[in-house]
Amino acid sequence: MKKINASLIVFSTLTLGVVTYLLFSAFIRKDTVSIHESIDSYNFAIGTQTVGSKYQFTKESMLVETAKEIKKMGSNLLKFSMHPRYFSENYGLPKNDKINSLTKLATLEPSMKAVLDMDFKYYHIWTYAFSQNSPEPPNTKDDTAQIKFINGYPKKYEKAQYREIYDFVTYLLKTYNGSGKVFYLGNWEGDWHLRSDYDRTKPANPKTVEGMIKWAKTTQKAIDDAKRDFQHNNVEIYNYIEVNLVAKALNEPDAVVVTNSVVKAVNPDYVSYSSYDATNPFKTEESLRLNLTKSLDYIESHLSPKEGLPAGKRVWIGEYGSPSINHSDELQNQRSIWVIKTSLEWGTPFILYWEMYNNEIKEGTGEQVGYWLITDKGKKQPIWYTHNNFYKEAREFLKNYAEENKKLPTFDVFRKNAINFKSLNP
């Protein structure tokens, strides 16, 4: 029997130890990276949006600039619009005559493609098909130009809506397959589509109600069919309907609004609530809490159970905000915290502040109305810091929870703890 070289034994032992250490370290690093990635993609509930801002500070497009500001604040959610007004009131992007569909808007408009490719987990997108659009008179905003269900929904528009939404959803599924992104495609304040003259005192036109139901059902079917037909993994797309005249239905039991007609008939994946009629009229936290809760309950009561959706509530706050023109910076922040805490208590999956940069100018004076997180002077409002600090606390809470429980909490556990964050209890 040959003698075994002692140095060889030592070398082999050391080598085995190094390999074991490296494998163990790689496992730990992988596990740590996985936790961090999961935290970064967690639903923090609160967020904001960017539509039609009246100022900017860089040479980038307003859409890209504001998206980057939203990301820098700490959010992993972006809400914006995709429809034929991309070059006019909403973002002032260059008009491209080759863009005649949502898919081409996503592929041929550099700023649109840039934000879709950015590192956001959640996208809320006002989605209006080019096939439904008619040119607006110069210097005139006419919402009927982008909806074709007023007084009924012609079959040709129904077919065109289905095809364009189906193609767009297929494009998103294909392009972002495996990305982990979640897209929510929906509309702006639907009750103003039902009453396109903005007169809430008039009864809804029954033919328009019928047309809007067909339009919404067509959109839902196009999304569902595209998801069924295109095999995909780790990317999700859902449909939502946004409502805004909920108080009218609560105060007038016979009034027809989107909630008790369109939502009830369509049963969309989700409902977004532009919640000013349940938030801005009220002067105390308790009155706001009672009325917002009542409105959310009312909306939810018109949804039916639906398979294939994540567990949890299906109604969220799509817009809320208190403009600086009516409130001090501190009161703007305080009122926003009331909305956030009430919504977390109720269980809404999202609570979206209007908005990153202000989009309204007071007629006659040119004064900024002040729906903002960052002012036209570049000043970060107290509510910006509330969001920023909330995200920091959320990440710390999730990190500690994961270390203790070897998993991340459910959204219900998160929201119940988030109510007590210091950022919401200044």
Side-chain angles (χ1 to χ4, degrees), residues 143-310:
D143 286 332
T144 63
Q146 64 182 5
I147 52 176
K148 292 295 182 285
F149 52 76
I150 305 300
N151 205 38
Y153 196 38
K155 197 71 176 178
K156 68 175 183 177
Y157 288 114
E158 183 181 340
K159 289 181 178 180
Q161 171 81 358
Y162 176 88
R163 187 75 257 168
E164 187 171 346
I165 297 297
Y166 180 97
D167 289 345
F168 180 50
V169 172
T170 301
Y171 166 78
L172 292 175
L173 292 172
K174 180 179 179 181
T175 304
Y176 300 103
N177 197 25
S179 68
K181 291 178 183 284
V182 183
F183 298 93
Y184 300 89
L185 308 183
N187 61 278
W188 174 71
E189 299 175 344
D191 282 289
W192 294 141
H193 293 337
L194 200 58
R195 292 172 168 83
S196 57
D197 59 0
Y198 294 86
D199 187 347
R200 70 183 68 201
T201 66
K202 292 181 181 178
N205 178 344
K207 289 186 177 181
T208 300
V209 174
E210 181 182 341
M212 190 172 181
I213 289 172
K214 285 185 179 180
W215 174 74
K217 282 185 174 181
T218 299
T219 300
Q220 182 71 65
K221 179 173 171 52
I223 292 172
D224 291 343
D225 288 356
K227 289 163 65 176
R228 176 200 65 200
D229 295 345
F230 186 84
Q231 187 173 359
H232 57 282
N233 176 60
N234 199 25
V235 59
E236 296 294 341
I237 301 179
Y238 301 107
N239 176 47
Y240 75 85
I241 294 173
E242 184 167 272
V243 305
N244 58 291
L245 294 184
V246 177
K248 180 177 178 65
L250 291 171
N251 297 328
E252 305 170 34
D254 294 331
V256 175
V257 296
V258 171
T259 299
N260 59 24
S261 60
V262 181
V263 168
K264 184 177 181 179
V266 175
N267 195 31
D269 296 334
Y270 293 94
V271 177
S272 170
Y273 180 26
S274 185
S275 63
Y276 301 105
D277 67 355
T279 54
N280 282 10
F282 304 104
K283 306 299 182 184
T284 67
E285 182 175 9
E286 181 61 16
S287 61
L288 184 149
R289 186 183 68 81
L290 289 173
N291 282 278
L292 180 54
T293 299
K294 185 189 300 182
S295 294
L296 291 168
D297 286 342
Y298 179 79
I299 297 168
E300 185 181 50
S301 73
H302 290 86
L303 286 170
S304 302
K306 193 168 190 177
E307 295 182 357
L309 298 175

Side-chain angles (χ1 to χ4, degrees), residues 81-87 94-109 112 126-135 145-148 157 160-161 163-165 168 215:
S81 69
M82 291 186 70
H83 55 55
R85 287 177 176 161
Y86 72 93
F87 62 88
K95 190 175 186 297
N96 184 342
D97 291 332
K98 293 181 180 179
I99 297 176
N100 58 8
S101 70
L102 287 164
T103 302
K104 287 187 177 180
L105 181 60
T107 55
L108 298 182
E109 169 39 58
M112 291 287 173
W126 289 341
T127 309
Y128 290 87
F130 283 66
S131 60
Q132 314 289 295
N133 190 62
S134 300
Q146 64 182 5
I147 52 176
K148 292 295 182 285
Y157 288 114
Q161 171 81 358
R163 187 75 257 168
E164 187 171 346
I165 297 297
F168 180 50
W215 174 74

Side-chain angles (χ1 to χ4, degrees), residues 41-86:
S41 63
Y42 198 88
N43 176 19
F44 303 132
I46 71 171
T48 190
Q49 46 213 307
T50 173
V51 179
S53 302
K54 298 301 183 185
Y55 51 88
Q56 63 180 109
F57 305 100
T58 73
K59 293 183 179 180
E60 294 184 289
S61 72
M62 186 267 285
L63 176 58
V64 171
E65 177 182 326
T66 47
K68 287 183 176 180
E69 286 295 336
I70 290 169
K71 190 69 181 174
K72 281 163 55 178
M73 188 172 64
S75 179
N76 60 10
L77 180 153
L78 178 66
K79 182 178 175 184
F80 69 111
S81 69
M82 291 186 70
H83 55 55
R85 287 177 176 161
Y86 72 93

Side-chain angles (χ1 to χ4, degrees), residues 338-408:
W338 295 350
V339 176
I340 293 170
K341 292 178 76 171
T342 297
S343 301
L344 287 171
E345 287 172 359
W346 191 83
T348 66
F350 301 105
I351 310 149
L352 305 184
Y353 181 87
W354 187 267
E355 61 175 322
M356 177 51 73
Y357 294 172
N358 176 57
N359 73 310
E360 290 189 26
I361 302 293
K362 188 175 181 180
E363 289 187 24
T365 66
E367 185 180 1
Q368 298 279 347
V369 172
Y371 283 107
W372 50 29
L373 288 161
I374 298 178
T375 74
D376 59 323
K377 307 301 182 185
K379 176 187 175 185
K380 294 172 180 174
Q381 293 290 90
I383 183 58
W384 184 96
Y385 288 100
T386 293
H387 279 76
N388 181 246
N389 290 329
F390 182 95
Y391 296 135
K392 292 175 182 176
E393 287 184 272
R395 286 183 165 87
E396 186 65 20
F397 168 78
L398 294 170
K399 176 176 173 290
N400 292 336
Y401 188 97
E403 288 176 353
E404 183 176 345
N405 298 278
K406 310 307 178 189
K407 63 180 181 179
L408 290 174

